Amino acid sequence: MKCSLINLIVFVIIVNSDANKPLFRPQLPIGEYRIKFLAVFRCESSNDQLQFNLYLSKTSVNTTEIKGNLTYLEPIDDSLNNEVNLAIKDTVNGWKDNAHVYKTAKACSSLKMLMGNSWTAIMESLGMNNISCPIPVGCYKSSGIRLNKNFYANLPKQFFYGTYKSRIQFTKNKVVHGCTISIIEVKRPWETD
């Protein structure tokens, strides 16, 4: 009996030791993810120098694009700071602010670093051809930013699952110059909509 138990344990270890096979853990609160956008809208601030008039457009069952226009009354350069605040939806459908906070100086350079290889494609889909930092004053119309996995090039590869309200704002001397809010779901890759 003791020998068969040892053989069974060794067999289970050998069968489950395939390093290339990902483990299926459906109940873990963190892991690889996919993002589903539920809404995008503009938040009002006292100094709306950067206006984000964006909305979601569903082009097919599996494809969503961000459309709209961006009006910049001042350039987005490295004199601005960038703040991202994620509020998580709790069990009673309220928002708990500051679940994840990301603040950085040099807004334009940090955005370019965060977008990585998708910077050029996103800028062109916003009507900003051959633009690097700073992004000049103007009104830019989006032909549609396709939300695929390349859009999230330099974001973490694993994240906490849940529904988040993302507030992205640009500030200078603690004054908000522009802000946009999006509601997103961070889902497990195998979850259906």
Side-chain angles (χ1 to χ4, degrees):
M1 181 69 176
K2 191 175 189 181
C3 186
S4 62
L5 181 60
I6 292 173
N7 287 338
L8 178 64
I9 292 172
V10 170
F11 175 74
V12 169
I13 291 172
I14 291 172
V15 169
N16 288 331
S17 67
D18 186 5
N20 294 329
K21 182 176 74 173
L23 295 175
F24 182 70
R25 298 180 178 152
Q27 299 303 321
L28 291 179
I30 188 172
E32 293 182 13
Y33 62 92
R34 66 183 180 88
I35 294 178
K36 179 181 178 189
F37 275 78
L38 302 177
V40 176
F41 51 94
R42 182 174 139 191
C43 48
E44 299 297 328
S45 64
S46 60
N47 185 7
D48 258 349
Q49 296 295 309
L50 306 171
Q51 300 170 10
F52 302 92
N53 304 307
L54 302 171
Y55 63 93
L56 293 180
S57 174
K58 192 101 168 148
T59 56
S60 72
V61 175
N62 298 326
T63 308
T64 303
E65 293 180 340
I66 297 177
K67 290 190 174 185
N69 66 55
L70 307 170
T71 304
Y72 298 152
L73 303 176
E74 68 176 319
I76 294 182
D77 56 17
D78 286 343
S79 69
L80 293 170
N81 299 322
N82 189 11
E83 297 178 11
V84 179
N85 189 325
L86 294 179
I88 190 164
K89 189 180 248 187
D90 61 15
T91 55
V92 293
N93 289 329
W95 294 105
K96 288 186 179 179
D97 287 333
N98 303 324
H100 302 279
V101 177
Y102 174 74
K103 292 183 179 183
T104 182
K106 299 183 178 182
C108 191
S109 298
S110 63
L111 274 177
K112 189 172 181 177
M113 184 275 309
L114 194 64
M115 290 182 189
N117 294 334
S118 61
W119 171 266
T120 303
I122 291 171
M123 290 295 113
E124 287 176 358
S125 68
L126 289 169
M128 302 180 207
N129 297 325
N130 300 322
I131 289 184
S132 188
C133 288
I135 301 172
V137 171
C139 184
Y140 304 100
K141 184 177 180 184
S142 171
S143 61
I145 302 170
R146 191 160 275 185
L147 301 171
N148 56 25
K149 59 184 169 187
N150 296 333
F151 183 77
Y152 317 106
N154 290 345
L155 293 180
K157 302 303 178 207
Q158 295 187 348
F159 201 74
F160 293 94
Y161 302 120
T163 303
Y164 293 93
K165 179 169 63 171
S166 169
R167 179 184 174 95
I168 301 170
Q169 61 186 19
F170 296 90
T171 62
K172 185 188 288 185
N173 299 326
K174 298 184 180 182
V175 175
V176 176
H177 286 249
C179 176
T180 184
I181 295 176
S182 56
I183 309 294
I184 58 173
E185 281 184 332
V186 177
K187 303 178 90 167
R188 294 171 179 87
W190 57 85
E191 286 182 318
T192 59
D193 291 333

